[in-house]
Amino acid sequence: MRDHAALAREVIDANLYLALGTADADGNPWVTPVYFVPEEYRRFYWVSSPTTRHSRNLTVRSTASLAIFDSSVAVGNAQAVYVEATAAQVPDDELEPAAAIYNSRLDEGREFELDELRGDGLFRLYRATATEHSVLIRGGDPEYGTGADSRLVISLD
């Protein structure tokens, strides 16, 4: 039996971008790629302008979905992690430690200063907190395959 939690951790560790799914007040969906930094596989950070569609969506609807995958692999070799989450802008009183986490994965000289992420700064730091993780199960999987791709809910505790 495969260790699906280990697979999920590998996928999260190996990738720099995730597809962020949000919805506006009327439920209209929006998906965008964002560079992300994970924290303990439960929290995911990214920086965006508060004027972007996904940031505006999060001000009215805090539920989000994330998909993390390597789009460069051949068809039939994909691995993916799906995350259901609540997401919001990181509050100013939590910004310093959260920014340190985000900056830890950036190349030297690319780090964000706190003043860039609050007040008159152009950007804000956002955080998604996982409520559920699942992994892709390919249709041909000998252990779980049903003929069609599916998801398997897992625990990363």
Side-chain angles (χ1 to χ4, degrees):
M1 182 177 239
R2 269 177 299 205
D3 184 346
H4 291 99
L7 171 66
R9 289 182 191 98
E10 288 173 21
V11 170
I12 292 167
D13 289 341
N15 289 282
L16 300 175
Y17 293 88
L18 60 79
L20 171 66
T22 61
D24 66 17
D26 295 325
N28 298 307
W30 183 252
V31 177
T32 190
V34 295
Y35 174 86
F36 78 100
V37 175
E39 179 191 20
E40 298 178 356
Y41 307 104
R42 309 223 32 90
R43 288 169 293 284
F44 303 84
Y45 294 89
W46 69 94
V47 169
S48 289
S49 166
T51 63
T52 61
R53 185 169 176 180
H54 56 278
S55 297
R56 291 190 326 265
N57 286 351
L58 290 173
T59 66
V60 296
R61 188 185 295 255
S62 65
T63 54
S65 59
L66 319 175
I68 304 167
F69 59 96
D70 180 357
S71 66
S72 68
V73 299
V75 174
N77 292 318
Q79 299 292 341
V81 176
Y82 307 99
V83 181
E84 293 182 21
T86 58
Q89 181 180 318
V90 174
D92 280 351
D93 64 336
E94 298 175 32
L95 189 56
E96 189 170 349
I101 293 165
Y102 185 79
N103 284 332
S104 70
R105 192 168 171 184
L106 294 176
D107 292 336
E108 188 174 329
R110 303 276 316 206
E111 299 94 350
F112 282 86
E113 299 293 329
L114 293 178
D115 288 342
E116 295 178 277
L117 301 172
R118 64 178 170 214
D120 293 335
L122 294 176
F123 302 102
R124 296 295 180 268
L125 183 62
Y126 292 84
R127 174 178 52 219
T129 303
T131 57
E132 181 178 277
H133 295 83
S134 56
V135 293
L136 171 67
I137 301 296
R138 292 190 298 273
D141 183 286
E143 189 174 344
Y144 293 97
T146 62
D149 290 352
S150 61
R151 295 182 188 187
L152 175 67
V153 175
I154 61 166
S155 174
L156 292 182
D157 293 334

